[in-house]
Every structure is written in structure tokens, then in C-alpha cells.
Amino acid sequence: MKQQTILYFEKTGILMAVYLVLRFLLPIVLPFFLAWITVGCLVFLQKKLPVRLLTLSILYILLFLLLSGTSIFCGCYLLYEPCCRLLPVCQSYWAQFSEYLSWLPGSLSGYLADLMPSALSCMFGIFLYLISILLFARDWEHFHILLYRLPFAVPVSNAAGRLLQCVRGWIHAQFRIMLVVSLECAAGYYLLHIPGFPFWAVLTGIIDALPVFGTGTVFFPWIAVMVLQGEYPFALWLGLLYLITWLTRELMEPKLLGDGLGLLPVCFLISVIAGLKLFGPLGFFSGPFGVLLIRELWVELETAFSQKNRLNL
């Protein structure tokens, strides 16, 4: 009975430790943690390619910067013409409702002032992420030797190995949801006669797979522009397409992601909601990740407890 009580206290300690790490430590070390995961993936890729790890990391950083720059350029280029067409419409509405919209400039400037530190912090985080990739790649072996000297390194490593299998299942499930949403958008864009509909459909699917964003990031501004331009039937069809994609993710996500992570769908949904409440937008990932980490550490603890009991017998 005494040993069982000790086991329960140790499980409670793991629960509190994981919460404190996710709540306070993870936001601070997130760029370094992502860089460590990235280099780990590059190490796996290096086994199949005759390239040094540092060289592979430099190539990854160049590809990351190229894709980011291309995305920003394409976004600005594609949004330039719609913004130019929308500006006279906005000016017309502003002239008609200027008395009612007089509060917008002050509130908007306050919102932008609050947003600016977050944007600078995000840019600095990306810079740390890229620099950390080079540093981890340069001293990968020495860093792992240092990690294994830490207390509880072996059980955490065993739990992380099983957790990696769950993450692979999660990526597979996300890809399947993204594929279904992209196909739905492709069919909808084709029926709406949108030029280059396959590209826009894939882009919408990728944005939908990102945490916090979703297809509403694409459809809400688009619908607002169509309403301002007086194209109400087009806006109605866009709203219907958004509803279809939203329902698709809501119905598929708990089942596929729960199965991929080894959680019941309702448990996965609870972990996401709890993560968002406790950790903010980052909780979309850290909520399920924390539940899985606690589960795997408990498994390690119970395994060690069982082995100890066998030895005592």
C-alpha cells in the first residue's frame, strides 16, 4: 500500500512538472525546441544522403528563407489588385458612415501598437530558430551526450521515442484532413469559375492545417470584400463553401487525430480545449502533447515500479 501511495505521488509530480514546463518554460525555449526537432529530422534525412549535417542544415535554412520570401512576395502581388479595387469602395463607405466609424482610427492604432511587440517577438523567435539550427547541427553529438547526463534522461528518452510514433500518426491524420479540404475547395472554386483554382485550393488546405488560422482566415476577408462590392450571391456561395470545410474538419479531426495519437476522440478534443484555455494559441499543440507526454512518462514509471516489485519478490 505504501509503494502504491508513493507511485501516486510520483504520478502527481509528473503531472505538475509537465504543466509547469508547458506553462512557463516552453514559451521561452520554443525556438530552441523547434530547432532541436528540426535538426533531429535532418539527422534522420542525413542517413539517406551523403551530406554533412551542418551542410544539410544550411541548405534547409536557405530553403526556409526562399519559401518564406516567395510566399510574402506572392501574397503581396496577389493582394495588390484586390486592395486597389477595394480602396474606392471603402472610401465610399467611409464617406457615408464617417460619423459612426470615427472611433476606428483610434482603436485601430491602439490595436496595432499592442500587436507590434508581438510581431517583433515573433521575428526575433524566427531568428533564434534559424541560428539554433546551425548551433545544434554543429554540436549535435556533444549536445546529446550532455542531455543523457541529466537526471531522468533515460525514461524521458524512452517516452520521447514512443511519442515520436504518435507525432507521425498526427502528421498523417493532418495530411488526410488537408487533402479532403483541398479537394472540397477545388470543387467549389471550379464551380465558382475562379482562375487557377487548384493552386488556391491547395493553399486554402495548407492554411486550414495551421493552428489557430483555419479556412476562416481565407473565407472571412474574401466574403467581406464580396459584400462590400455588392456581389451577394458570390459571397453566399463562399459562405456555404466555408461551412462545408469547417464541418469537415470538425467531424474528421477528433476521430483521425485521436486515432493517430492513440487517444479517444473525446479525449483529444478535451486536451485541445484545455490546452487553448491554459496555454493560449500554443495550446492547440501543447495540450495534446502534454497529455501524451504525461501518459508516456506514467508508463515508464509503472514499468520501473513493476520491475522493482519483481526484484523484491
Side-chain angles (χ1 to χ4, degrees), residues 149-185:
R149 291 178 180 174
L150 296 176
F152 310 110
V154 175
V156 170
S157 177
N158 295 335
R162 292 194 299 271
L163 197 60
L164 182 60
Q165 298 296 326
C166 296
V167 171
R168 290 176 182 172
W170 179 84
I171 294 174
H172 179 68
Q174 279 285 8
F175 180 78
R176 290 174 64 182
I177 298 173
M178 185 179 68
L179 180 62
V180 173
V181 171
S182 298
L183 290 175
E184 290 175 345
C185 291

Side-chain angles (χ1 to χ4, degrees), residues 16 31 54 182 190 200 302:
M16 294 302 299
L54 186 59
S182 298
Y190 172 77
W200 296 114
E302 290 172 352

Side-chain angles (χ1 to χ4, degrees), residues 107-119:
S107 61
L108 185 60
S109 62
Y111 174 74
L112 292 176
D114 294 337
L115 190 64
M116 186 60 68
S118 299

Side-chain angles (χ1 to χ4, degrees), residues 32-254:
F32 308 102
F33 179 68
L34 293 177
W36 177 61
I37 294 177
T38 301
V39 177
C41 296
L42 293 177
V43 169
F44 177 78
L45 184 62
Q46 185 197 18
K47 296 177 181 178
K48 301 181 179 181
L49 297 173
V51 183
R52 291 179 57 197
L53 182 59
L54 186 59
T55 304
L56 198 60
S57 301
I58 294 173
L59 292 176
Y60 168 80
I61 292 174
L62 292 176
L63 180 63
F64 178 88
L65 294 175
L66 178 63
L67 291 178
S68 300
T70 304
S71 301
I72 294 173
F73 174 78
C74 291
C76 295
Y77 177 77
L78 294 172
L79 291 175
Y80 176 75
E81 184 178 352
C83 289
C84 289
R85 285 190 292 141
L86 187 61
L87 186 60
V89 178
C90 293
Q91 290 176 341
S92 175
Y93 277 95
W94 185 272
Q96 294 179 19
F97 303 102
S98 57
E99 296 180 1
Y100 303 100
L101 300 177
S102 58
W103 56 274
L104 273 177
S107 61
L108 185 60
S109 62
Y111 174 74
L112 292 176
D114 294 337
L115 190 64
M116 186 60 68
S118 299
L120 293 175
S121 176
C122 182
M123 293 177 62
F124 183 66
I126 294 173
F127 172 76
L128 285 179
Y129 166 69
L130 297 177
I131 293 297
S132 299
I133 289 176
L134 292 177
L135 297 178
F136 276 126
R138 180 173 173 267
D139 298 314
W140 182 253
E141 296 296 334
H142 295 87
F143 181 75
H144 266 249
I145 293 173
L146 179 64
L147 279 181
Y148 274 95
R149 291 178 180 174
L150 296 176
F152 310 110
V154 175
V156 170
S157 177
N158 295 335
R162 292 194 299 271
L163 197 60
L164 182 60
Q165 298 296 326
C166 296
V167 171
R168 290 176 182 172
W170 179 84
I171 294 174
H172 179 68
Q174 279 285 8
F175 180 78
R176 290 174 64 182
I177 298 173
M178 185 179 68
L179 180 62
V180 173
V181 171
S182 298
L183 290 175
E184 290 175 345
C185 291
Y189 294 165
Y190 172 77
L191 294 175
L192 292 174
H193 306 288
I194 296 175
F197 69 91
F199 171 77
W200 296 114
V202 172
L203 184 62
T204 305
I206 293 174
I207 293 176
D208 180 60
L210 298 175
V212 182
F213 288 88
T215 53
T217 308
V218 176
F219 284 110
F220 286 158
W222 198 354
I223 292 172
V225 169
M226 292 299 103
V227 170
L228 290 175
Q229 292 182 344
E231 299 184 19
Y232 301 111
F234 195 90
L236 183 62
W237 284 112
L238 287 178
L240 179 61
L241 183 58
Y242 165 71
L243 182 62
I244 292 172
T245 56
W246 178 77
L247 286 174
T248 298
R249 174 161 285 276
E250 290 299 312
L251 293 174
M252 293 182 65
E253 188 172 58

